Amino acid sequence: MRTAIAAAFLVAPLASAQVVGLSIHADRPVLMPGESALVTVTATFPEAYYALAGARFDFRFDDGDLDPRAAWNDYRALPPFDGPQTPPELTEVGIFGNVLGQLNFPPAMIYADPTNPVDVWEVTFTAPLGAGGGYRVDMLTDTHLYDVYIERESSTSIRITDLVTEGEASIFVVPAPASAAVLALGLSATRRRRERPARPQFTAARASVKAARASVKATRASVKAARTPVKAARSSVKAARTSVKATRTSVKAARTSVKAARTPVKATRTSVKAARRTVIAVLGPGTGPGSPCGPIRRMCGPTEPAEGRGPYRNMRTPPARHSPVGRTLGKTMIRTTLAALASTAAVLATTTASHAQMPGEVVIEIDQPVLAPGESTTVRLWAGFDSTRDYAVAGVVTSLLADSGGVDVSAAWSDVSLVHPMAGPGTTIGTPDAGGYAGIIAGQINFPVSGGTADPSDPIAFWEATFTAPTDASAFAVDLSTRTDRFDVYIERDSSRAEPRLDGLTEGAGRITIVPAPASGLVLALGLAAMRRRR
């Protein structure tokens, strides 16, 4: 009989293997007390799709009054669906909150397993020794989410929960042979005892025992009913904690965005101060852009007529710093500095005002665009998108190009790295190429099935490096630009679906200007003036 029951339950999974959804299979559908069975959940999806993306389901069972911790053990998701997830909860009626999923991220050469059908989850059931035999354990799946990947070369997934058929199966627990013999002997002895005259004291005792058992059963039912609101309260507290955690994450992201926005403003102010110091050091106090005395021709303060002719006729003493060499050097440094500041202001204006109106853009941020030989600055790449349309940046494949006018700057780069969280699986900082970096791959994962969502910051930094101006070079400029081959975004928070935004993408541009140090320029001007006087 045991063999016949096993054969009947082995046929059921085979008959339902082609149905879309989950199915349950027990390797031993008939057990005796103390024996165990491995229960496996298998997922099947339509052949028109590439692979199973993920699922969330509850595994329910009806095993009478068995202790679930003694009967159900070692429940887990099977590879490759065993990524980071919230542990499921074992209760008296099932194992709830089972989450499983796998990643398909072609930009990083990560592909999902397309096996169909595929085993995704398993649990071990053990028939307790003290529970006797002659009962049945019913099992059922309750699916909440069921996602599939559309094709191999895309991380886009769709939800087909409405097509899912739930899996169900049963395990029979029968008495052991020795137990059956003891049961037969006990029934025979009971039959013999029934032939004797009934004893009133035994009848009353049996009635009391029966009443006590009924009371115990009622108490168990009351305890079970009392546990239901407690469980609901725990779920509410858990949901409230999740909401608080999400709020804290949003506040933290907002603070990070504000801090990132302050950084370029601070860098611009520092550059303006440095430019002013340079002008004052070369031309003297009271000169420079914005001075009421003008940048070259006069000094501040009252003037007295002086004898002689020439450009210094309105000054008390013709200082050496107003020589033609000083004027030429001052004009050159002012123009270079103001041009660099204008370039920085244009980049910042583009970053803050127009990136949200474009389908996508790459921005080059330079902390200090004007350098003296030997000084360093940080160059950072940002990815921006239309946050009113899409949720977050998925991945960027780009190259940083450098045009230095023939000057070798290949050794000027150091501390090259990807910026978290855009340093996901399969990403790379790129390789040095003609003074820049080629083949930069950055990306982040949005996989809500397993509880992991992408950072929606707009823009979001993904690459940075330190540029150090050569110490043995004269004044020159390095024009930086990007050439992007792929730019993908996630369209919504609750889906791993990504779409390209390469059409209409705005590439990044920036300039690093290397000028002689202010002290060196002043010494050069004074030295040339002294040589002219000696001549």
Side-chain angles (χ1 to χ4, degrees):
M1 176 179 179
R2 180 176 178 178
T3 304
I5 296 176
F9 278 88
L10 284 174
V11 173
L14 295 177
S16 61
Q18 300 304 319
V19 177
V20 174
L22 301 177
S23 59
I24 302 175
H25 168 66
D27 63 343
R28 300 181 64 188
V30 180
L31 301 176
M32 291 186 293
E35 294 183 339
S36 299
L38 181 64
V39 180
T40 304
V41 175
T42 302
T44 308
F45 56 92
E47 296 180 356
Y49 301 114
Y50 167 62
L52 178 69
R56 185 170 75 238
F57 69 96
D58 299 332
F59 182 83
R60 299 178 180 271
F61 50 75
D62 182 6
D63 54 8
D65 294 329
L66 299 180
D67 181 4
R69 291 174 178 79
W72 302 94
N73 295 281
D74 300 330
Y75 44 89
R76 65 189 183 96
L78 298 176
F81 299 94
D82 56 347
Q85 57 181 276
T86 303
E89 180 183 4
L90 175 62
T91 69
E92 293 182 349
V93 294
I95 304 172
F96 293 89
N98 299 289
V99 178
L100 48 94
Q102 62 173 334
L103 184 64
N104 191 65
F105 197 59
M109 303 299 291
I110 299 175
Y111 296 98
D113 181 2
T115 303
N116 185 26
V118 56
D119 295 338
V120 295
W121 190 85
E122 68 179 14
V123 63
T124 299
F125 172 79
T126 301
L129 288 171
Y135 60 90
R136 186 178 73 180
V137 179
D138 294 324
M139 300 170 288
L140 175 70
T141 62
D142 185 7
T143 306
H144 303 286
L145 294 176
Y146 202 83
D147 295 354
V148 293
Y149 289 118
I150 298 178
E151 56 185 355
R152 183 177 185 272
E153 296 300 329
S154 173
S155 57
T156 300
S157 64
I158 62 172
R159 189 152 295 164
I160 58 171
T161 312
D162 296 340
L163 304 179
V164 170
T165 300
E166 303 296 349
E168 53 183 303
S170 298
I171 295 177
F172 284 91
V173 180
V174 298
S179 301
V182 172
L183 179 61
L185 293 175
L187 292 176
S188 176
T190 301
R191 185 175 291 105
R192 288 195 299 273
R193 286 196 299 271
R194 287 176 179 175
E195 295 174 354
R196 300 176 183 178
R199 299 180 182 181
Q201 63 271 29
F202 290 156
T203 302
R206 287 172 181 169
S208 299
V209 171
K210 188 175 181 180
R213 288 178 177 174
S215 177
V216 170
K217 188 174 182 180
T219 303
R220 286 180 178 176
S222 300
V223 171
K224 189 173 182 180
R227 287 177 179 175
T228 302
V230 173
K231 184 179 178 182
R234 288 178 178 174
S235 300
S236 300
V237 171
K238 188 175 181 181
R241 288 178 178 174
T242 303
S243 178
V244 171
K245 187 175 180 181
T247 302
R248 289 177 177 174
T249 302
S250 300
V251 171
K252 187 175 180 181
R255 289 177 178 174
T256 302
S257 300
V258 171
K259 187 176 179 181
R262 288 176 178 174
T263 300
V265 174
K266 185 177 180 180
T268 303
R269 290 177 178 173
T270 303
S271 301
V272 171
K273 289 181 180 179
R276 289 175 178 173
R277 294 192 187 100
T278 302
V279 172
I280 292 173
V282 176
L283 303 181
T287 61
S291 172
C293 305
I296 298 296
R297 300 185 62 83
R298 297 181 178 86
M299 295 179 61
C300 284
T303 59
E304 297 178 0
E307 297 181 358
R309 303 171 62 86
Y312 305 108
R313 58 182 180 274
N314 294 326
M315 301 178 60
R316 293 189 182 92
T317 304
R321 62 174 174 270
H322 282 191
S323 66
V325 174
R327 292 199 300 274
T328 302
L329 179 60
K331 290 181 180 179
T332 301
M333 298 189 69
I334 290 173
R335 291 169 182 169
T336 302
T337 303
L338 293 181
L341 293 179
S343 175
T344 302
V347 171
L348 292 177
T350 302
T351 303
T352 57
S354 62
H355 74 270
Q357 302 175 0
M358 302 177 182
E361 67 172 345
V362 178
V363 178
I364 300 177
E365 178 193 9
I366 304 172
D367 285 352
Q368 187 175 346
V370 180
L371 301 177
E375 290 184 342
S376 300
T377 185
T378 300
V379 177
R380 192 173 294 106
L381 300 184
W382 296 74
F385 63 100
D386 185 357
S387 57
T388 62
R389 174 185 179 185
D390 302 315
Y391 168 64
V393 174
V396 181
V397 179
T398 188
S399 297
L400 178 64
L401 311 179
D403 182 5
S404 56
V407 180
D408 185 9
V409 293
S410 57
W413 298 99
S414 61
D415 301 330
V416 184
S417 64
L418 294 175
V419 182
H420 181 79
M422 295 294 287
T427 56
T428 176
I429 61 173
T431 57
D433 180 43
Y437 266 78
I440 300 171
I441 301 177
Q444 60 176 333
I445 296 174
N446 188 62
F447 201 59
V449 174
S450 62
T453 55
D455 183 352
S457 298
D458 177 29
I460 185 170
F462 64 89
W463 186 91
E464 67 179 10
T466 299
F467 180 88
T468 302
T471 57
D472 57 348
S474 57
F476 69 99
V478 181
D479 291 322
L480 301 177
S481 60
T482 60
R483 185 184 63 219
T484 305
D485 300 317
R486 185 161 187 167
F487 194 96
D488 294 353
V489 297
Y490 294 116
I491 60 173
E492 57 184 352
R493 181 182 182 274
D494 295 326
S495 173
S496 57
R497 178 183 177 185
E499 291 186 356
R501 293 289 183 266
L502 192 60
D503 292 340
L505 179 75
T506 302
E507 297 287 2
R511 169 176 288 190
I512 301 176
T513 304
I514 291 84
V515 298
S520 302
L522 182 60
V523 171
L524 176 62
L526 294 177
L528 292 176
M531 290 177 61
R532 179 171 286 102
R533 286 197 296 271
R534 284 197 299 271
R535 289 177 180 175

